[in-house]
């Protein structure tokens, strides 16, 4: 539940989602669900070489299971808080 | 359960020719959209078909060719999006990416083959577009795709939960050597509250179990207190 709660707090922020197939998509986090499916708005592909026809799409739904990383805006991240919360979650 | 795009030809014998679904296992038809073209990979669009969205998969059946149809499980759809950028594709459409088994391998041959060959290897297709003749339907279609995708989270495999040994700190390795995995992770219900393991059928909205163990082994060892980690709580006391 930790990351679900964490991402819910990031709704409205710019994130970059990197998929397991190396595609990176940047956009505004619209919503996230318990499976960490991610909906982005105003998305654009970070590296256009691999998927040139994708370019910019308005709304995008990304399956949670294909996400490798979610890159967060550094100013939004309280590392100590996150560290603390993950340790607690683990026990 | 096949990964990727596949041919679909199972139609009901009646005049409408709706796809035959796996109703015994609970598959239901959610949305039907007639007058939809489909563009598979880099190929030109194939017109005049009907899109059937079920609780498990997306099916497109050709109206012209009763033997032609495509289907892809939601489990294989990595992403879907509303594409309105004419530079990306001339017509507004639902753009989807399909996870294939060959995803690790760069398959360049798909581009050259798809132009000339009639027999298409669907399992290598990584992109697919659904182009409704009525562009106003796009938002509805996108919504239906979202709803049905949410119905298809990753299934939990049997073996995964037992060998679930997450390491959180180097200190833990000492404990694990002696204790094994007997006491730590045995919740009475399914232990789904581990980090990163949130895909599955389990209802994460239910409360997380608080593990109460009064066991000396879980007391903080002397050396751990010297770590001076901020906010290091003694949870086992609560």
């Amino acid at each position: 539940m930790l990351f679900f709660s964490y991402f819910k707090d990031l709704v409205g922020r710019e994130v970059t989602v990197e998929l397991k197939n190396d595609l990176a998509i940047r956009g505004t986090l619209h919503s996230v669900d318990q499976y960490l499916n991610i909906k982005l708005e105003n998305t654009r592909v970070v590296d256009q070489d691999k998927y040139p026809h994708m370019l910019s799409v308005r709304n995008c739904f990304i399956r949670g299971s294909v996400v490798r990383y979610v890159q967060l805006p550094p100013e939004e991240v309280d590392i100590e808080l996150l560290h603390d919360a993950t340790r607690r979650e683990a026990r | 359960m096949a990964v990727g795009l596949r041919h679909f030809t199972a139609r009901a014998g009646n005049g409408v020719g709706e796809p035959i679904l796996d109703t015994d296992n609970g598959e239901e038809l959610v949305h039907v959209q007639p007058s939809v073209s489909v563009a598979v990979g880099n190929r030109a669009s194939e017109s005049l078909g009907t899109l059937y969205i079920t609780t498990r998969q997306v099916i497109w059946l050709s109206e012209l060719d009763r033997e032609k149809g495509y289907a892809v499980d939601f489990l294989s759809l990595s992403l879907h999006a509303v594409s309105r950028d004419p530079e990306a594709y001339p017509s507004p459409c639902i753009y989807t990416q399909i996870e294939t088994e060959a995803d690790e391998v760069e398959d360049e041959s798909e581009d050259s083959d798809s132009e000339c060959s009639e027999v298409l290897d669907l399992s290598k297709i990584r992109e697919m577009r659904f182009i409704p003749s009525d562009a106003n339907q796009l938002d509805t279609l996108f919504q239906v795709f979202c709803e049905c995708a949410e119905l298809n989270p990753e299934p939990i495999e049997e073996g995964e939960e037992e060998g679930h040994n997450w390491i959180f700190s180097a200190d833990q390795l000492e404990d694990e050597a002696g204790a094994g995995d007997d006491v730590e992770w045995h919740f009475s219900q399914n232990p789904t509250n581990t980090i990163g393991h949130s895909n599955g059928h389990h209802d994460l909205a239910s409360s997380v179990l608080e593990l109460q163990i009064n066991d000396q082994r879980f007391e903080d060892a002397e050396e751990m207190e010297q770590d001076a980690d901020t906010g290091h709580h003694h949870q086992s006391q609560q």
Side-chain angles (χ1 to χ4, degrees):
Chain A
M1 278 291 270
L2 170 66
F3 287 116
F4 175 35
S5 306
Y6 189 76
F7 287 133
K8 277 199 294 188
D9 287 341
L10 289 174
V11 164
R13 306 288 178 223
E14 280 278 296
V15 297
T16 297
V17 180
E18 182 177 323
L19 308 191
K20 290 177 183 170
N21 64 10
D22 298 338
L23 177 69
I25 303 174
R26 187 164 182 78
T28 309
L29 184 64
H30 171 271
S31 55
V32 63
D33 71 4
Q34 56 176 320
Y35 305 114
L36 301 188
N37 294 322
I38 292 172
K39 283 195 207 175
L40 297 178
E41 284 180 327
N42 301 318
T43 67
R44 49 234 175 263
V45 174
V46 173
D47 171 17
Q48 298 201 0
D49 294 342
K50 187 156 166 146
Y51 290 98
H53 354 279
M54 201 182 147
L55 286 182
S56 62
V57 294
R58 186 119 49 88
N59 299 334
C60 170
F61 174 102
I62 301 171
R63 193 179 163 79
S65 61
V66 303
V67 174
R68 179 189 290 150
Y69 296 126
V70 178
Q71 295 168 17
L72 312 171
E75 62 273 12
E76 297 295 335
V77 179
D78 182 340
I79 294 182
E80 303 231 338
L81 203 65
L82 196 56
H83 189 196
D84 200 42
T86 52
R87 291 182 77 106
R88 252 183 283 126
E89 177 92 351
R91 289 183 180 273
Chain B
M1 196 174 308
V3 173
L5 186 62
R6 59 190 193 281
H7 290 287
F8 189 99
T9 52
R11 304 190 191 203
N14 58 24
V16 178
E18 285 202 349
I20 296 173
L21 305 181
D22 189 9
T23 49
D24 288 344
N25 280 321
E27 185 179 7
E28 292 172 23
L29 190 57
V30 175
H31 186 83
V32 180
Q33 191 72 39
S35 299
V36 174
S37 304
V38 70
V40 170
N42 293 330
R43 288 164 71 102
S45 65
E46 301 171 56
S47 294
L48 286 185
T50 301
L51 190 62
Y52 298 89
I53 303 171
T54 82
T55 49
R56 301 275 166 78
Q57 59 186 320
V58 178
I59 302 169
W60 179 86
L61 298 182
S62 168
E63 292 303 315
L64 297 178
D65 182 353
R66 308 285 280 181
E67 300 295 310
K68 180 189 282 195
Y70 302 118
V72 58
D73 288 334
F74 275 105
L75 285 174
S76 296
L77 286 181
S78 310
L79 73 85
H80 62 270
V82 173
S83 169
R84 293 184 200 271
D85 186 348
E87 281 185 52
Y89 197 79
S91 313
C93 58
I94 299 286
Y95 168 87
T96 70
Q97 275 190 16
I98 299 170
E99 191 182 337
T100 65
E101 282 177 3
D103 245 341
E104 299 299 305
V105 179
E106 275 292 324
D107 195 354
E108 296 298 330
S109 63
E110 176 200 322
D111 295 326
S112 49
D113 282 351
S114 60
E115 296 290 328
C116 47
S117 70
E118 282 300 316
V119 180
L120 185 61
D121 185 358
L122 293 183
S123 65
K124 294 200 168 69
I125 294 295
R126 295 222 213 97
E127 295 172 305
M128 188 159 170
R129 285 176 178 77
F130 302 97
I131 309 118
S133 51
D134 180 6
N136 293 326
Q137 293 298 315
L138 276 179
D139 290 330
T140 303
L141 284 177
F142 177 77
Q143 264 315 112
V144 176
F145 267 72
C146 287
E147 285 164 17
C148 294
E150 288 161 21
L151 295 174
N152 290 275
E154 289 297 295
I156 300 281
E157 287 161 30
E158 278 306 303
E160 256 174 44
E161 303 197 31
E162 289 140 28
H164 217 65
N165 292 319
W166 290 95
I167 303 295
F168 300 99
S169 70
D171 305 322
Q172 190 181 334
L173 290 170
E174 298 164 17
D175 293 346
E176 294 235 322
D181 57 356
D182 45 4
V183 188
E184 249 182 308
W185 302 109
H186 277 195
F187 298 97
S188 58
Q189 296 163 30
N190 294 312
T192 58
N193 59 325
T194 50
I195 294 174
H197 200 61
S198 53
N199 289 335
H201 298 297
H202 305 286
D203 178 13
L204 291 178
S206 61
S207 56
V208 173
L209 294 176
E210 185 85 25
L211 188 60
Q212 302 280 351
I213 296 183
N214 294 317
D215 186 326
Q216 275 302 315
R217 287 179 293 174
F218 292 92
E219 292 295 307
D220 287 344
E222 284 293 325
E223 57 261 28
M224 285 177 76
E225 292 175 14
Q226 293 170 12
D227 266 291
D229 280 329
T230 54
H232 186 74
H233 299 290
H234 293 241
Q235 282 287 320
S236 55
Q237 295 298 337
Q238 290 175 5

